[in-house]
Amino acid sequence: MTTGCGGSSHAAQKPSTPGGRGASGGATSAGAHGGAALANADMVPADLQQFYDQKPTWAPCATDSSLPGWTCAKITVPLDYSDPSKGTTYIMATRKAATGPAGQRVGSLLLNPGGPGGAGIAYAQDPNVVTKNVAAHYDIVGFDPRGVGQSDPVRCLSDDTAAMDEFVQADPMPRTDAQVAEVAKESQAIGKACEQKSGRILPYVGTPNAARDMDVLRAVLGDAKLYYLGKSYGTYLGAVYAGLFPQNTGRLVLDGAIDPTLTAKQMNIAQAQGFEKLIREFAADCVTQTGCPLGTDSGTAVNKLMTYLQSLQDHPVPTHDGSRKVNYGLALTAVLQVMYVPQYWSDLRDALNAAMNGDGTRLLQWADLYNDRTSGTYDNQTDANIAINCLDRPDPDAENAQQIENKEVPDYKSQAPLLGEMLAWADLSCATWPVKPQTQPAPITAAGSAPILVVGTKDDPATPYPWAQGLAKQLQNGHLLTFNGSGHTAYTRGSQCIDNAVDAYLIQGTVPPAGITCDVGA
């Protein structure tokens, strides 16, 4: 017997896809998340007991025989935890036994890579997502949250490559009436497609249900407490879990944290400002390098970059794939993707040089990585991202295209002149979403939880450092670990200081001293 597992390991806390009108990379709150906190693992409602008691079959994963030691299973969960009679859905999970002696095993470590919409199966199967020391002490467990990847996936446009290509290539900053009308039409179309293809599960893919699924998975794995590593949006999922099940928390690491009190607009503007900062730093670095496509003047480099990107809307650059060209939306997507990992700035310089000389192939590859387009098809991350965010935290100020154009765009641009306009359009799809939102921003305290480790990076564009400070302060038992570096998230990204601190917490339960900061190279 084999059980299907596999998929893209790429996920992060994303700003809205520049071409598509998707909900921005998100968080809502723990307040009013489908019921009061459950005090402990024994307080399982009778109508949910069957899910906690199930014994799934763990079998070799069908999709990739090159991953020895990994098994996969399908976990049945209720569609609606408040009314299990409405039916069930399922969660696909994968695990690998701890590599060390049985006597030193701590438990099962659940992983989530971010998103929302990030598939966790292939992410967990990447040997670099945790240290060897952690893998020796924990069974490593990955799962695709409900509606994502192999877990009863939401489908909107991702199963129609031509339609999704059009969606992600849309003008990220429409100016004319015709352009605004076009993006409004596309935003309505994805909601209608989701309702038509995935109407059964669409109302139930919000983060609170995913957090409740994790508690079922904890019980199925045989653990009395949840051990968890969540990155980016995964920090919000972990915080919501702690708010619902504080007494079931074991050791939770929330890396690249989200502040659940922030509104969608506050998050969008902060992300725009974070990415703008890195774009300016990229441009300043570029002009010091031989052959920089932005020239040698740091005062004009950013303007030259943005002007070139905007020119591609009317004059897209061809690629080695003769049927595809890189326009403004795809090129800006490529730039944002590289901003997540500054170590690849040299590659972006080369990609821009090539594009300015008529070959957009490398820019297209970066855009496809961001959009999870592989071998001519898309996974469902964009569909799931929009579906989850529209339930979790739509922007009430983004009621329609006209309001965004006349009120939101000027406000965003005043605070983030390079990218604010793009992020102002981020929640347009949610304005006409077929399912009403289910939560609102509010603090998460997780009163009664075990110590929770929050990790923040000082120069993180996707989840700015103040968000980590905010979450750590809200949590009754939150503890902040700081990385004085750049890029998105910190654990297993090259800082031995961060890795040692996280490992000591996960393996020994040692909380880092208050105020600890790890510098680059430490």
Side-chain angles (χ1 to χ4, degrees):
M1 175 181 176
T2 56
T3 306
C5 283
S8 172
S9 63
H10 169 69
Q13 177 68 20
K14 296 185 176 183
S16 172
T17 303
R21 302 297 144 220
S24 56
T28 27
S29 69
H33 272 216
L38 297 184
N40 56 55
D42 296 326
M43 295 180 62
V44 177
D47 57 358
L48 298 178
Q49 194 66 53
Q50 61 175 314
F51 302 104
Y52 280 77
D53 290 343
Q54 65 186 296
K55 305 294 182 185
T57 300
W58 292 87
C61 303
T63 58
D64 196 338
S65 59
S66 66
L67 296 169
W70 289 94
T71 56
C72 290
K74 179 185 286 188
I75 316 298
T76 302
V77 293
L79 196 63
D80 183 349
Y81 278 88
S82 67
D83 184 1
S85 68
K86 289 183 179 179
T88 63
T89 183
Y90 60 90
I91 305 300
M92 292 300 301
T94 186
R95 72 176 176 183
K96 184 177 184 180
T99 58
Q104 71 178 24
R105 180 183 177 275
V106 177
S108 303
L109 183 65
L110 272 65
L111 308 180
N112 181 275
I121 289 174
Y123 177 77
Q125 292 171 345
D126 181 339
N128 299 311
V129 297
V130 297
T131 65
K132 291 182 178 179
N133 200 18
V134 166
H137 287 80
Y138 281 94
D139 296 349
I140 303 302
V141 178
F143 66 101
D144 289 354
R146 60 169 59 202
V148 175
Q150 297 180 53
S151 295
D152 202 358
V154 168
R155 289 292 181 187
C156 308
L157 300 180
S158 59
D159 55 351
D160 183 339
T161 298
M164 184 59 85
D165 280 346
E166 183 175 355
F167 183 75
V168 301
Q169 291 178 110
D171 190 337
M173 301 182 194
R175 303 289 172 83
T176 68
D177 289 346
Q179 290 169 341
V180 170
E182 181 63 24
V183 298
K185 177 182 176 182
E186 291 168 354
S187 296
Q188 292 175 353
I190 194 166
K192 291 178 180 177
C194 284
E195 185 175 32
Q196 179 183 2
K197 298 175 184 179
S198 301
R200 176 179 176 271
I201 193 173
L202 205 60
Y204 306 107
V205 296
T207 298
N209 279 327
R212 292 180 179 278
D213 292 342
M214 287 206 302
D215 200 56
V216 171
L217 185 53
R218 170 199 60 75
V220 167
L221 291 165
D223 289 341
K225 303 290 185 180
L226 180 78
Y227 301 95
Y228 177 77
L229 169 62
K231 292 200 170 190
S232 201
Y233 159 81
T235 67
Y236 176 59
L237 176 59
V240 171
Y241 178 90
L244 290 171
F245 304 97
Q247 298 305 119
N248 292 357
T249 56
R251 298 166 192 168
L252 276 63
V253 178
L254 309 180
D255 182 10
I258 288 169
D259 181 343
T261 66
L262 297 178
T263 65
K265 184 173 182 176
Q266 289 172 321
M267 293 183 66
N268 290 344
I269 290 173
Q271 283 196 325
Q273 292 170 335
F275 278 94
E276 284 188 12
K277 182 176 185 292
L278 283 187
I279 286 174
R280 295 183 190 281
E281 290 175 1
F282 163 76
D285 175 76
C286 182
V287 299
T288 68
Q289 309 294 326
T290 302
C292 172
L294 307 180
T296 58
D297 184 355
S298 60
T300 61
V302 172
N303 183 63
K304 184 171 183 178
L305 171 63
M306 300 306 292
T307 299
Y308 171 70
L309 297 179
Q310 291 164 6
S311 74
L312 296 177
Q313 189 61 29
D314 294 324
H315 305 285
V317 63
T319 69
H320 290 173
D321 181 345
S323 64
R324 302 181 68 199
K325 294 183 178 181
V326 174
N327 69 351
Y328 183 18
L330 290 176
L332 184 54
T333 298
V335 171
L336 292 178
Q337 172 61 29
V338 179
M339 291 303 106
Y340 278 98
V341 188
Q343 292 91 322
Y344 290 108
W345 283 1
S346 61
D347 192 271
L348 179 58
R349 290 197 305 270
D350 293 342
L352 288 169
N353 250 324
M356 291 179 182
N357 285 283
D359 182 5
T361 302
R362 189 61 187 141
L363 285 180
L364 183 62
Q365 290 170 344
W366 280 113
D368 283 351
L369 178 64
Y370 185 104
N371 292 321
D372 294 284
R373 189 187 196 273
T374 305
S375 301
T377 62
Y378 290 89
D379 72 9
N380 87 315
Q381 179 162 316
T382 296
D383 291 343
N385 180 279
I386 297 172
I388 295 167
N389 275 328
C390 286
L391 292 184
D392 278 359
R393 41 141 228 93
D395 184 354
D397 294 326
E399 293 182 355
N400 53 58
Q402 288 69 37
Q403 184 182 29
I404 292 174
E405 181 181 25
N406 297 327
K407 182 176 182 293
E408 295 302 293
V409 166
D411 194 12
Y412 274 69
K413 287 180 68 175
S414 69
Q415 299 179 70
L418 295 184
L419 301 176
E421 185 173 356
M422 179 193 81
L423 270 295
W425 291 99
D427 286 305
L428 182 56
S429 291
C430 295
T432 57
W433 198 248
V435 182
K436 291 184 178 180
Q438 299 171 348
T439 58
Q440 295 296 328
I444 297 176
T445 61
S449 77
I452 297 172
L453 183 59
V454 179
V455 184
T457 297
K458 282 285 187 73
D459 204 7
D460 186 331
T463 51
Y465 181 67
W467 295 4
Q469 293 175 302
L471 178 59
K473 185 176 180 179
Q474 291 164 42
L475 292 168
Q476 188 182 81
N477 206 348
H479 302 266
L480 180 63
L481 172 64
T482 299
F483 177 48
N484 190 23
S486 63
H488 186 40
T489 74
Y491 182 58
T492 66
R493 289 194 58 245
S495 169
Q496 195 63 49
C497 173
I498 290 289
D499 291 356
N500 289 343
V502 172
D503 284 5
Y505 168 77
L506 286 174
I507 296 168
Q508 286 93 32
T510 303
V511 176
I516 185 171
T517 296
C518 293
D519 292 322
V520 175

